[in-house]
Amino acid sequence: DAKTTQPPSMDCAEGRAANLPCNHSTISGNEYVYWYRQIHSQGPQYIIHGLKNNETNEMASLIITEDRKSSTLILPHATLRDTAVYYCIVRANQGGKLIFGQGTELSVKP
Amino acid sequence: DGGITQSPKYLFRKEGQNVTLSCEQNLNHDAMYWYRQDPGQGLRLIYYSQIVNDFQKGDIAEGYSVSREKKESFPLTVTSAQKNPTAFYLCASEDRVNTEAFFGQGTRLTVV
């Protein structure tokens, strides 16, 4: 499974868009990009995943660069409840084990 | 309601004792995982199982053991060989296509 690099922490003002970057320069052609988040002392929660096209759901948008070496998770209107650690994971769609890195600690401030 | 359940939420044990953490899911998921999380750190993979009666070591399997006799259950035993067992333990499950993993609420183990 490819390794990912994320900034350790970011701040965002409440109501503004939060853009969380992730580098995955060694990603393989059959590997997807997944995002999870973990609110303090809870189990992680799935957010979104994609292969090469941009994806959007009710929680967030995922933008993957054309060369697939990096991606950005966008929370369009961050709220205080979005304060969490966000994990970017790259893995195969079938059979790939789920490995977490250190993630980005996002603090949404009033 | 479908979901994944870990029990107990808090567990205290004396040093030198083995302890088993429970993880049950009724989501009909093939794959199950166990992770350990220390304060301020990310999740580290202990063991995972892609199918019944089969499991593989993760990055930090030493001092732990698992079994997967039923699809619904993936218990983790923390043995006395684990040097620093006090931690937050998380269990997860997902289907074979790996679309979305579901996590339990965790068990906080304290060994005194």
Side-chain angles (χ1 to χ4, degrees), chain A residues 49-109:
Chain A
H49 76 284
L51 181 63
K52 54 183 177 181
N53 297 321
N54 297 338
E55 302 286 345
T56 296
N57 63 20
E58 65 278 3
M59 290 183 68
S61 294
L62 173 61
I63 309 297
I64 303 173
T65 58
E66 193 168 345
D67 63 7
R68 303 210 321 123
K69 293 182 184 297
S70 65
S71 61
T72 301
L73 179 75
I74 301 172
L75 308 178
H77 305 287
T79 71
L80 299 178
R81 286 176 293 183
D82 291 323
T83 292
V85 178
Y86 287 78
Y87 297 98
C88 170
I89 298 165
V90 171
R91 63 189 296 221
N93 186 242
Q94 292 191 35
K97 54 187 176 182
L98 188 57
I99 299 292
F100 287 78
Q102 292 302 306
T104 295
E105 186 167 9
L106 175 69
S107 296
V108 180
K109 300 181 184 299

XYZ file of all heavy atoms in Angstrom, chain A residues 49-109:
470
model
N -14.201 8.296 -0.754
C -13.058 7.717 -1.434
C -13.221 7.895 -2.941
O -14.326 8.145 -3.437
C -12.855 6.249 -1.068
C -13.797 5.280 -1.722
N -15.101 5.122 -1.316
C -13.610 4.411 -2.740
C -15.683 4.187 -2.048
N -14.808 3.743 -2.923
N -12.087 7.779 -3.673
C -12.122 7.941 -5.114
C -10.904 7.314 -5.771
O -9.893 7.049 -5.115
N -11.001 7.121 -7.081
C -9.903 6.531 -7.843
C -9.173 7.601 -8.640
O -7.971 7.803 -8.475
C -10.439 5.452 -8.783
C -9.403 4.729 -9.636
C -8.416 3.966 -8.768
C -10.080 3.799 -10.631
N -9.868 8.288 -9.537
C -9.215 9.350 -10.320
C -10.154 10.511 -10.614
O -9.700 11.614 -10.859
C -8.636 8.794 -11.609
C -9.603 8.034 -12.485
C -8.873 7.469 -13.688
C -9.806 6.632 -14.557
N -9.098 6.052 -15.710
N -11.444 10.271 -10.572
C -12.390 11.361 -10.779
C -12.682 12.055 -9.460
O -12.578 11.455 -8.399
C -13.690 10.824 -11.371
C -13.462 10.206 -12.738
O -12.684 10.710 -13.523
N -14.123 9.099 -12.988
N -13.051 13.306 -9.526
C -13.451 14.019 -8.322
C -14.759 13.417 -7.805
O -15.616 12.991 -8.592
C -13.625 15.504 -8.630
C -12.312 16.129 -9.068
O -11.232 15.623 -8.778
N -12.410 17.244 -9.768
N -14.887 13.379 -6.493
C -16.064 12.799 -5.872
C -16.664 13.784 -4.883
O -15.936 14.568 -4.258
C -15.702 11.508 -5.137
C -15.069 10.434 -5.995
C -16.059 9.741 -6.918
O -17.274 9.889 -6.701
O -15.596 9.061 -7.865
N -17.981 13.723 -4.736
C -18.679 14.571 -3.762
C -19.781 13.768 -3.113
O -20.460 12.990 -3.786
C -19.283 15.813 -4.448
O -18.223 16.622 -4.970
C -20.084 16.654 -3.459
N -19.922 13.932 -1.800
C -21.081 13.370 -1.103
C -21.581 14.409 -0.109
O -21.163 15.582 -0.149
C -20.740 12.030 -0.454
C -19.674 12.132 0.624
O -19.411 13.210 1.168
N -19.050 11.015 0.921
N -22.463 13.995 0.771
C -23.085 14.955 1.689
C -22.111 15.504 2.716
O -22.387 16.506 3.365
C -24.284 14.306 2.383
C -23.939 13.153 3.297
C -23.760 11.835 2.561
O -23.843 11.833 1.313
O -23.539 10.816 3.237
N -20.983 14.844 2.886
C -20.017 15.292 3.880
C -18.925 16.165 3.296
O -18.482 17.129 3.947
C -19.362 14.091 4.568
C -20.266 13.309 5.491
S -19.373 11.979 6.303
C -18.278 12.880 7.369
N -18.425 15.800 2.101
C -17.227 16.465 1.606
C -17.061 16.248 0.108
O -17.817 15.493 -0.510
C -16.001 15.892 2.336
N -16.036 16.914 -0.441
C -15.608 16.695 -1.823
C -14.161 16.228 -1.821
O -13.368 16.649 -0.957
C -15.727 17.979 -2.642
O -17.076 18.362 -2.769
N -13.846 15.375 -2.782
C -12.485 14.876 -2.936
C -11.994 15.254 -4.318
O -12.624 14.877 -5.321
C -12.457 13.354 -2.752
C -11.137 12.639 -3.039
C -10.035 13.140 -2.113
C -11.303 11.125 -2.886
N -10.886 16.002 -4.348
C -10.281 16.418 -5.598
C -8.955 15.678 -5.761
O -8.073 15.790 -4.903
C -10.016 17.935 -5.625
C -11.277 18.710 -5.249
C -9.494 18.363 -6.988
C -12.438 18.529 -6.192
N -8.823 14.896 -6.829
C -7.601 14.135 -7.094
C -6.937 14.732 -8.323
O -7.590 14.930 -9.351
C -7.915 12.647 -7.321
C -8.653 12.070 -6.099
C -6.647 11.848 -7.584
C -9.160 10.649 -6.280
N -5.637 15.021 -8.231
C -4.933 15.607 -9.368
C -4.877 14.622 -10.529
O -5.025 13.397 -10.344
C -3.506 16.021 -8.982
O -2.808 14.868 -8.496
C -3.527 17.101 -7.918
N -4.649 15.155 -11.716
C -4.676 14.314 -12.916
C -3.621 13.213 -12.870
O -3.859 12.091 -13.331
C -4.458 15.181 -14.158
C -4.769 14.460 -15.460
C -4.821 15.407 -16.646
O -4.904 16.638 -16.430
O -4.762 14.927 -17.778
N -2.450 13.508 -12.288
C -1.403 12.488 -12.186
C -1.603 11.582 -10.975
O -0.822 10.647 -10.751
C -0.013 13.120 -12.145
C 0.200 14.007 -10.924
O -0.674 14.041 -10.033
O 1.242 14.677 -10.863
N -2.619 11.855 -10.177
C -3.014 11.073 -8.986
C -1.959 11.083 -7.895
O -2.033 10.288 -6.961
C -3.364 9.638 -9.378
C -4.443 9.523 -10.397
C -5.296 8.289 -10.322
N -4.571 7.080 -10.006
C -4.853 6.290 -8.959
N -5.835 6.599 -8.152
N -4.157 5.198 -8.740
N -1.001 11.956 -7.932
C 0.038 11.980 -6.903
C -0.377 12.774 -5.677
O 0.322 12.759 -4.648
C 1.331 12.555 -7.490
C 1.959 11.663 -8.560
C 3.257 12.256 -9.053
C 3.857 11.453 -10.195
N 4.219 10.091 -9.809
N -1.461 13.484 -5.740
C -1.939 14.202 -4.557
C -3.456 14.383 -4.641
O -4.056 14.214 -5.705
C -1.252 15.558 -4.417
O -1.615 16.393 -5.489
N -4.041 14.715 -3.500
C -5.478 14.938 -3.444
C -5.779 15.960 -2.358
O -4.931 16.254 -1.497
C -6.233 13.638 -3.183
O -5.854 13.057 -1.949
N -7.001 16.487 -2.403
C -7.459 17.449 -1.399
C -8.860 17.085 -0.964
O -9.738 16.870 -1.810
C -7.462 18.882 -1.952
O -6.142 19.225 -2.378
C -7.922 19.880 -0.890
N -9.056 17.006 0.341
C -10.389 16.834 0.897
C -10.933 18.219 1.218
O -10.272 19.013 1.888
C -10.342 15.991 2.167
C -11.684 15.763 2.846
C -12.512 14.751 2.064
C -11.505 15.311 4.286
N -12.135 18.507 0.763
C -12.735 19.821 0.998
C -14.005 19.664 1.827
O -14.929 18.936 1.445
C -13.081 20.514 -0.336
C -11.815 20.688 -1.182
C -13.737 21.871 -0.074
C -12.086 21.192 -2.587
N -14.020 20.344 2.985
C -15.244 20.481 3.771
C -15.772 21.866 3.450
O -15.176 22.859 3.863
C -14.938 20.349 5.262
C -14.147 19.113 5.704
C -13.893 19.151 7.204
C -14.871 17.849 5.320
N -16.869 21.982 2.719
C -17.243 23.283 2.139
C -17.592 24.368 3.150
O -17.295 25.543 2.916
C -18.431 22.936 1.245
C -18.927 21.625 1.720
C -17.754 20.909 2.302
N -18.211 24.009 4.230
C -18.585 25.001 5.251
C -18.296 24.389 6.625
O -19.152 23.765 7.233
C -20.071 25.368 5.143
C -20.481 25.837 3.789
N -20.131 27.080 3.296
C -21.176 25.228 2.800
C -20.612 27.216 2.073
N -21.246 26.105 1.747
N -17.068 24.527 7.062
C -16.649 23.845 8.287
C -17.417 24.352 9.509
O -17.677 25.558 9.652
C -15.155 24.044 8.503
N -17.762 23.423 10.380
C -18.394 23.767 11.652
C -17.487 23.308 12.782
O -16.526 22.559 12.570
C -19.764 23.089 11.796
O -19.564 21.687 12.000
C -20.628 23.312 10.558
N -17.814 23.732 13.995
C -17.003 23.339 15.152
C -16.965 21.821 15.305
O -15.978 21.256 15.791
C -17.540 23.998 16.416
C -17.539 25.527 16.417
C -18.150 26.054 17.730
C -16.153 26.087 16.220
N -18.053 21.153 14.885
C -18.103 19.694 15.009
C -17.204 18.974 14.018
O -17.039 17.756 14.097
C -19.548 19.220 14.829
C -20.437 19.523 16.028
C -21.869 19.136 15.759
N -22.471 19.969 14.724
C -23.736 19.880 14.345
N -24.524 18.984 14.880
N -24.217 20.680 13.417
N -16.629 19.716 13.075
C -15.678 19.116 12.141
C -14.263 19.051 12.711
O -13.351 18.532 12.059
C -15.675 19.901 10.823
C -16.968 19.731 10.048
O -17.525 18.617 10.063
O -17.431 20.725 9.442
N -14.073 19.594 13.899
C -12.763 19.490 14.556
C -12.469 18.020 14.830
O -13.224 17.343 15.533
C -12.763 20.284 15.869
O -12.843 21.683 15.575
C -11.489 20.023 16.663
N -11.374 17.520 14.239
C -11.060 16.091 14.300
C -9.686 15.865 13.671
O -9.081 16.790 13.113
C -12.114 15.281 13.544
N -9.229 14.629 13.737
C -8.035 14.222 12.996
C -8.498 13.563 11.703
O -9.343 12.656 11.739
C -7.160 13.244 13.809
C -5.954 12.811 12.983
C -6.703 13.894 15.103
N -7.960 14.025 10.581
C -8.361 13.533 9.272
C -7.242 12.677 8.687
O -6.093 13.110 8.599
C -8.695 14.713 8.344
C -9.994 15.370 8.713
C -10.060 16.239 9.805
C -11.159 15.109 8.012
C -11.259 16.824 10.176
C -12.364 15.695 8.373
C -12.407 16.539 9.450
O -13.602 17.117 9.827
N -7.602 11.475 8.282
C -6.627 10.521 7.752
C -6.850 10.292 6.259
O -7.968 9.997 5.833
C -6.750 9.175 8.468
C -6.441 9.199 9.938
C -7.470 9.285 10.876
C -5.137 9.113 10.397
C -7.193 9.286 12.233
C -4.854 9.111 11.748
C -5.881 9.195 12.664
O -5.606 9.195 14.012
N -5.776 10.395 5.506
C -5.768 10.075 4.072
C -5.100 8.713 3.920
O -4.010 8.498 4.445
C -4.998 11.161 3.325
S -4.645 10.803 1.601
N -5.756 7.797 3.243
C -5.254 6.425 3.120
C -5.317 6.014 1.657
O -6.308 6.299 0.965
C -6.114 5.461 3.955
C -6.047 5.837 5.443
C -5.664 4.013 3.750
C -7.127 5.194 6.278
N -4.270 5.345 1.193
C -4.252 4.836 -0.175
C -4.199 3.310 -0.108
O -3.368 2.743 0.603
C -3.035 5.378 -0.949
C -2.906 4.689 -2.286
C -3.161 6.879 -1.150
N -5.100 2.674 -0.823
C -5.132 1.212 -0.768
C -5.863 0.659 -1.980
O -6.650 1.353 -2.621
C -5.829 0.739 0.500
C -7.283 1.155 0.551
C -7.921 0.876 1.874
N -7.985 -0.526 2.205
C -9.050 -1.099 2.778
N -10.111 -0.398 3.036
N -9.019 -2.384 3.100
N -5.620 -0.615 -2.247
C -6.331 -1.288 -3.326
C -7.800 -1.455 -2.939
O -8.137 -1.544 -1.770
C -5.697 -2.649 -3.595
N -8.656 -1.518 -3.931
C -10.086 -1.607 -3.678
C -10.492 -2.954 -3.110
O -11.463 -3.061 -2.379
C -10.862 -1.321 -4.962
C -12.356 -1.252 -4.736
O -13.109 -2.039 -5.280
N -12.791 -0.344 -3.914
N -9.731 -3.988 -3.404
C -10.029 -5.304 -2.851
C -8.765 -5.907 -2.271
O -7.719 -5.910 -2.906
C -10.581 -6.233 -3.927
C -11.945 -5.824 -4.426
C -12.594 -6.886 -5.285
O -12.420 -8.071 -5.027
N -13.330 -6.486 -6.288
N -8.868 -6.376 -1.043
C -7.756 -7.090 -0.436
C -6.704 -6.230 0.214
O -5.842 -6.738 0.901
N -6.739 -4.932 0.023
C -5.729 -4.080 0.625
C -6.047 -3.822 2.088
O -7.164 -3.475 2.426
N -5.066 -3.981 2.963
C -5.327 -3.741 4.376
C -5.432 -2.246 4.640
O -4.884 -1.431 3.898
C -4.239 -4.369 5.245
C -2.833 -3.952 4.887
C -1.828 -4.772 5.686
C -0.409 -4.420 5.260
N 0.609 -5.220 5.985
N -6.120 -1.894 5.702
C -6.426 -0.502 6.027
C -5.377 0.015 7.002
O -5.401 -0.313 8.182
C -7.826 -0.449 6.632
C -8.459 0.911 6.881
C -8.529 1.728 5.616
C -9.846 0.734 7.475
N -4.442 0.810 6.497
C -3.326 1.328 7.298
C -3.493 2.835 7.478
O -3.644 3.561 6.491
C -1.973 1.050 6.609
C -1.759 -0.449 6.434
C -0.828 1.665 7.404
C -1.561 -1.209 7.723
N -3.440 3.296 8.725
C -3.570 4.719 9.039
C -2.192 5.332 9.264
O -1.328 4.725 9.879
C -4.411 4.907 10.300
C -5.871 4.644 10.113
C -6.354 3.347 10.070
C -6.770 5.692 9.976
C -7.702 3.101 9.893
C -8.121 5.452 9.792
C -8.588 4.160 9.753
N -2.019 6.563 8.773
C -0.827 7.340 9.088
C -1.102 8.217 10.292
O -1.951 7.885 11.129
N -0.402 9.351 10.378
C -0.571 10.240 11.537
C -1.720 11.216 11.366
O -2.235 11.749 12.336
C 0.721 11.015 11.797
C 1.867 10.136 12.269
C 1.515 9.381 13.540
O 1.112 9.954 14.542
N 1.639 8.058 13.501
N -2.129 11.468 10.129
C -3.272 12.337 9.885
C -3.003 13.810 10.092
O -1.906 14.230 10.486
N -4.029 14.613 9.810
C -4.001 16.063 10.025
C -5.018 16.409 11.091
O -6.194 16.067 10.965
C -4.364 16.828 8.742
O -3.374 16.594 7.747
C -4.462 18.332 9.014
N -4.564 17.094 12.130
C -5.481 17.546 13.170
C -6.075 18.883 12.738
O -5.386 19.904 12.707
C -4.758 17.681 14.500
C -5.685 18.019 15.650
C -5.028 17.852 17.003
O -3.808 17.634 17.053
O -5.753 17.951 18.002
N -7.346 18.889 12.403
C -8.039 20.103 11.968
C -8.749 20.735 13.151
O -9.543 20.077 13.824
C -9.057 19.781 10.880
C -9.934 20.949 10.420
C -9.090 21.971 9.656
C -11.092 20.470 9.558
N -8.459 22.003 13.386
C -9.154 22.762 14.431
C -10.008 23.823 13.761
O -9.486 24.704 13.069
C -8.147 23.432 15.374
O -7.396 22.463 16.069
N -11.312 23.748 13.949
C -12.229 24.750 13.430
C -12.513 25.736 14.552
O -12.967 25.340 15.634
C -13.530 24.118 12.921
C -14.466 25.205 12.378
C -13.233 23.080 11.851
N -12.243 27.017 14.283
C -12.340 28.029 15.336
C -13.478 29.010 15.045
O -13.732 29.330 13.894
C -11.013 28.776 15.440
C -9.840 27.859 15.779
C -8.545 28.620 15.900
C -7.363 27.691 16.133
N -7.484 26.910 17.384
